[in-house]
């Protein structure tokens, strides 16, 4: 079963500094070097409609073919460079989670839901 490792950042104490460090640490580049990585996704979480922050700030998802591949990947030198860098940014807290991917759908492969609307 496909497995993903999710890194979920809580709101940082200083969002501007977080974003500066996020770019400066080149986390995306480090993550792409992890052996066995099949897909990589980063997300910045929208604030609530009233502009107040949600309990989380940013999410990183790294996809692997299965749990064994993900487990092996985190023992590599590349992961040894990535994970400390991920933790250094966590001024508001961070969670690291391994997850089974039970269902996944590519939006591009889905039928055009607006095709019948005129």
């Amino acid at each position: 079963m496909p497995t993903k490792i999710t890194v979920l950042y809580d709101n940082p104490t200083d969002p501007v500094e977080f974003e500066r460090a996020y770019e400066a640490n080149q986390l995306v580049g480090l993550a792409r070097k992890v052996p066995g990585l099949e897909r990589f996704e980063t997300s910045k979480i929208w604030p609530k409609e009233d502009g107040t922050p949600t309990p989380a700030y940013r999410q990183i998802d790294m996809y692997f073919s299965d749990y064994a591949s993900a487990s092996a990947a985190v023992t590599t030198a590349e992961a040894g460079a990535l994970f400390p860098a991920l933790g250094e940014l966590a001024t508001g807290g961070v969670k690291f989670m391994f997850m089974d991917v039970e269902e996944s759908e590519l939006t591009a492969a889905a039928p055009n839901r607006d095709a019948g609307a005129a």
Side-chain angles (χ1 to χ4, degrees):
M1 181 173 288
T3 296
K4 74 176 178 174
I5 299 172
T6 295
V7 180
L8 182 64
Y9 285 103
D10 296 330
N11 287 295
T13 55
D14 183 344
V16 172
E17 177 59 23
F18 178 97
E19 291 300 323
R20 186 204 61 75
Y22 182 83
E23 292 299 323
N25 288 346
Q26 302 173 357
L27 297 178
V28 171
L30 289 173
R32 287 186 174 139
K33 294 178 183 177
V34 174
L37 185 69
E38 293 187 345
R39 193 171 111 209
F40 180 78
E41 185 175 275
T42 64
S43 306
K44 189 170 181 185
I45 299 165
W46 289 103
K48 296 178 188 174
E49 289 180 6
D50 66 3
T52 59
T54 60
Y57 180 75
R58 195 176 262 287
Q59 181 170 319
I60 299 169
D61 293 301
M62 296 174 280
Y63 294 82
F64 299 86
S65 61
D66 54 33
Y67 182 81
S69 297
S71 295
V74 300
T75 67
T76 65
E78 292 86 352
L82 172 63
F83 283 96
L86 292 170
E88 288 172 8
L89 296 179
T91 58
V94 65
K95 296 167 188 72
F96 294 88
M97 301 163 276
F98 273 61
M99 300 179 200
D100 279 335
V101 177
E102 294 177 339
E103 291 187 43
S104 181
E105 180 180 312
L106 295 175
T107 305
N112 184 349
R113 294 184 178 113
D114 295 328

